[in-house]
């Protein structure tokens, strides 16, 4: 999707600040591992909101484009994108300390200085990034919360799509993938409620249906999840 909107970010920040829970202390051993190993290349909890509007300053030579992945896991996709695009900046977000630590560790081993990782609640994304700060946002295979009682937990709502439209630059891209057919329909329905803010530039129900041999695709053409889905012939 391409962002069309030029909204007021202050109202969005106040709204999301009350909708997402504050961070609590943790005894997770990976918290200290991140502190001792990752240094300034990794931010945790409240720290992830200290550089709002200034994330490009955390990278050498102030890169022209900022790419952000929601739910980056161990960084499989983002690290490869960063390796292939050294002049762009990449930030991965995940709520799991262990995965953020692993992603940072791999970035260090690969000497990738154009990456940062945030252990953060994605629901607070409008507190993390400033108005028009992101060029390209990715969200691949979010939890579909399939049960009726769980659907209120789904990430994609018209309210969040409005929030996100403010932190992506006008004309910027938001790329979404899901393997869950009901969630796919849900996202399209929520988008219709904010269609004045977004322009859908590509919409495919089965991305690799006409591909001659999708099993040959490699990261970052596909994600680790997609490798599984392709093998199972799942759209």
């Amino acid at each position: 999707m391409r962002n069309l909107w030029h909204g007021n970010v202050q109202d969005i920040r106040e709204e999301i600040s009350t909708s997402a829970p504050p961070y609590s202390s943790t005894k997770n051993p990976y918290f200290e591992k991140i502190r001792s190993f990752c240094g300034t290349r990794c931010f945790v909890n409240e720290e992830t909101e200290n550089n709002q509007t200034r994330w490009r300053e955390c990278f050498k030579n102030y890169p022209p484009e900022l790419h952000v992945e929601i739910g980056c896991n161990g960084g499989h996709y983002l690290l490869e994108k960063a390796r292939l695009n050294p002049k762009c900046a990449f930030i991965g977000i995940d709520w799991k300390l262990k995965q953020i630590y692993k992603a940072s560790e791999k970035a260090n081993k690969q000497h990738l200085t154009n990456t940062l990782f945030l252990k953060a609640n994605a629901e607070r994304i409008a507190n993390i990034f400033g108005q028009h700060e992101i060029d390209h946002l990715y969200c691949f295979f979010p939890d579909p919360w399939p049960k009726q009682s769980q659907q209120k937990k789904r990430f994609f709502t018209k309210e969040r799509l409005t929030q996100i439209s403010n932190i992506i630059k006008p004309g910027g891209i938001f790329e979404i993938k899901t393997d869950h057919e009901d969630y796919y329909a849900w996202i399209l329905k929520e988008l219709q409620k904010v269609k004045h803010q977004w322009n859908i530039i590509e919409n495919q129900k089965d991305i690799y249906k006409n591909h001659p041999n999708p099993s040959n695709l490699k990261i970052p053409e596909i994600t680790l999840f997609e490798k599984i889905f392709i093998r199972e012939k799942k759209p």
Side-chain angles (χ1 to χ4, degrees):
M1 304 184 301
R2 191 180 299 277
N3 181 25
L4 303 176
W5 201 47
H6 300 252
N8 186 325
V9 76
Q10 186 60 42
D11 295 339
I12 303 302
R13 287 179 192 162
E14 292 173 356
E15 178 184 340
I16 198 168
S17 295
T18 58
S19 66
Y23 294 107
S24 57
S25 59
T26 179
K27 294 182 179 180
N28 189 313
Y30 281 95
F31 182 84
E32 291 304 321
K33 285 188 176 184
I34 285 174
R35 280 286 172 276
S36 62
F37 173 76
C38 301
T40 58
R41 310 314 296 170
C42 189
F43 297 81
V44 177
N45 296 348
E46 291 87 355
E47 297 173 353
T48 64
E49 301 179 15
N50 293 340
N51 291 304
Q52 190 182 50
T53 73
R54 303 191 309 274
W55 283 109
R56 281 180 174 81
E57 297 174 19
C58 296
F59 299 90
K60 188 177 180 180
N61 298 328
Y62 201 87
E65 288 187 15
L66 179 61
H67 295 241
V68 178
E69 183 183 6
I70 298 171
C72 66
N73 207 284
H76 310 91
Y77 175 83
L78 184 134
L79 290 171
E80 191 61 16
K81 287 284 286 188
R83 186 184 69 81
L84 295 172
N85 299 275
K87 293 184 179 181
C88 297
F90 291 83
I91 295 179
I93 302 173
D94 206 285
W95 66 275
K96 296 177 183 177
L97 274 167
K98 183 177 181 179
Q99 296 300 335
I100 287 297
Y101 172 78
K102 286 185 173 181
S104 300
E105 186 179 39
K106 284 184 281 189
N108 183 64
K109 287 180 178 178
Q110 296 177 37
H111 305 289
L112 292 174
T113 59
N114 61 332
T115 63
L116 290 179
F117 292 94
L118 315 182
K119 186 275 177 185
N121 185 341
E123 292 181 357
R124 297 187 64 81
I125 193 167
N127 293 74
I128 299 170
F129 298 97
Q131 189 172 29
H132 304 162
E133 190 166 14
I134 299 173
D135 292 272
H136 200 131
L137 182 65
Y138 311 84
C139 186
F140 299 143
F141 310 104
D143 194 326
W145 298 108
K147 296 179 181 178
Q148 187 73 32
S149 60
Q150 297 174 327
Q151 291 183 1
K152 61 186 177 183
K153 298 181 180 181
R154 286 178 168 176
F155 184 75
F156 287 100
T157 62
K158 65 181 180 69
E159 291 81 12
R160 183 149 292 113
L161 287 164
T162 295
Q163 294 161 358
I164 289 173
S165 70
N166 234 321
I167 60 175
I168 297 181
K169 74 173 187 180
I173 302 293
F174 189 8
E175 187 175 345
I176 305 164
K177 294 181 184 180
T178 179
D179 64 306
H180 194 274
E181 190 169 354
D182 177 63
Y183 201 10
Y184 168 76
W186 167 287
I187 294 170
L188 290 177
K189 183 178 179 181
E190 293 302 298
L191 275 168
Q192 281 301 307
K193 299 174 184 178
V194 289
K195 58 185 179 181
H196 62 291
Q197 298 164 10
W198 293 97
N199 175 30
I200 299 177
I201 57 175
E202 184 177 357
N203 176 25
Q204 296 189 49
K205 195 170 183 178
D206 190 350
I207 301 173
Y208 306 111
K209 182 178 181 179
N210 298 317
H211 194 284
N213 196 349
S215 60
N216 285 342
L217 294 171
K218 300 181 185 300
I219 298 172
E221 295 173 294
I222 58 172
T223 69
L224 283 180
F225 276 123
E226 283 176 284
K227 280 180 172 288
I228 298 170
F229 305 146
I230 288 170
R231 187 165 60 244
E232 296 176 350
K233 301 188 184 302
K234 188 176 182 181

